[in-house]
Amino acid sequence: MRSETFWSGFAAGTVVGALAGVGGVLAARRRASEADRRVVRLEKSINIGSPVQRVFAAWSDLEQLPRWISFIRRVEHRGPRWHWLVNLNDREFQWDSQITQVIPGESIGWKSLRGPRHTGRITFSPAGEQTVVHVIMNYAPPMGRVGAMMPMEEHLERWIERGLREFKAAMEQEQHQAALRTGAENTETRATGTTGEDMPWRAET
């Protein structure tokens, strides 16, 4: 994997966790974090009909994520940070994130650097020729007036599910198109191999 793509892979998993920065409380396990904070833990999985290396590589190409997920408008590399711009319910949100740990082809950990606090990990597990993508996220939503004003409180789960579904659909469509191209190339090769022009050794009649 090229260095640029490798480091992009470090930050790629933040697409799900970063969405939490504009969200609020998801129905999940809760625990007290500080006097004025609580932590929400979210776990979400999806099965994608494409091999794990292909799925991980696509997710790792961070700046290309807007191709796969419609509400991600832009991702920019800014030194050790990645700057995100998304549009949710016709409102734009921005944040910075950083990767804390990565196991190439297997998992990515992240944390926020600006805005609402969140950390998490996304894992990629092979299931034959398919991939199970599993997200674990811990989010500390703001309290008081600021927390009450957050527009995505009751919609966080819906947006995360939408992002994962769009990524799944894109990966499976790409896999299908690759299979069609391979089939067409094999058919063309077999057809070409049966022509007289490709058999100069054949005796003239």
Side-chain angles (χ1 to χ4, degrees), residues 172-188:
E172 293 181 349
Q173 177 65 20
E174 184 180 80
Q175 180 77 7
H176 177 66
Q177 291 176 347
L180 290 178
R181 287 194 298 269
T182 299
E185 290 171 359
N186 290 340
T187 299
E188 182 178 355

Side-chain angles (χ1 to χ4, degrees), residues 11 14 22 46 56 59 72 94 117 120 138 141 143-144 151 159 169 191 204:
T14 55
V22 300
I46 194 167
F56 184 86
W59 193 278
I72 299 177
Q94 302 184 53
R117 298 166 53 191
N138 298 297
M143 302 291 286
W159 282 105
E204 294 289 342

Side-chain angles (χ1 to χ4, degrees), residues 10-53:
F10 277 26
T14 55
V15 62
V16 176
L19 291 178
V22 300
V25 178
L26 177 68
R29 290 172 290 178
R30 302 179 182 183
R31 57 185 171 85
S33 177
E34 295 172 352
D36 61 344
R37 286 185 180 273
R38 64 189 183 278
V39 172
V40 178
R41 182 178 176 87
L42 162 69
E43 294 192 36
K44 188 70 178 177
S45 297
I46 194 167
N47 193 68
I48 299 178
S50 188
V52 65
Q53 292 301 327

Side-chain angles (χ1 to χ4, degrees), residues 47-123:
N47 193 68
I48 299 178
S50 188
V52 65
Q53 292 301 327
R54 181 187 292 269
V55 174
F56 184 86
W59 193 278
S60 299
D61 195 355
L62 190 59
E63 292 175 313
Q64 293 299 312
L65 283 174
R67 292 179 53 196
W68 317 123
I69 301 175
S70 62
F71 53 83
I72 299 177
R73 297 303 174 85
R74 187 169 65 249
V75 184
E76 297 176 349
H77 192 193
R78 298 181 177 180
R81 304 185 178 196
W82 290 85
H83 183 75
W84 297 76
L85 173 65
V86 303
N87 185 292
L88 307 177
N89 286 344
D90 296 323
R91 295 191 59 178
E92 290 190 343
F93 299 89
Q94 302 184 53
W95 63 84
D96 292 335
S97 63
Q98 184 179 54
I99 291 306
T100 58
Q101 186 183 46
V102 65
I103 301 177
E106 295 184 17
S107 66
I108 302 165
W110 74 87
K111 68 177 180 179
S112 63
L113 297 175
R114 182 173 61 89
R117 298 166 53 191
H118 57 279
T119 63
R121 177 174 299 278
I122 181 169
T123 61

Side-chain angles (χ1 to χ4, degrees), residues 99-169:
I99 291 306
T100 58
Q101 186 183 46
V102 65
I103 301 177
E106 295 184 17
S107 66
I108 302 165
W110 74 87
K111 68 177 180 179
S112 63
L113 297 175
R114 182 173 61 89
R117 298 166 53 191
H118 57 279
T119 63
R121 177 174 299 278
I122 181 169
T123 61
F124 305 82
S125 303
E129 290 300 309
Q130 302 189 25
T131 303
V132 177
V133 177
H134 184 68
V135 178
I136 301 176
M137 181 178 66
N138 298 297
Y139 170 55
M143 302 291 286
R145 292 182 59 189
V146 176
M149 294 173 61
M150 297 299 288
M152 294 303 299
E153 181 169 343
E154 62 189 46
H155 303 299
L156 176 59
E157 182 178 20
R158 187 180 308 168
W159 282 105
I160 293 175
E161 289 180 346
R162 174 176 168 178
L164 291 176
R165 286 198 308 268
E166 288 185 3
F167 184 74
K168 168 185 169 72

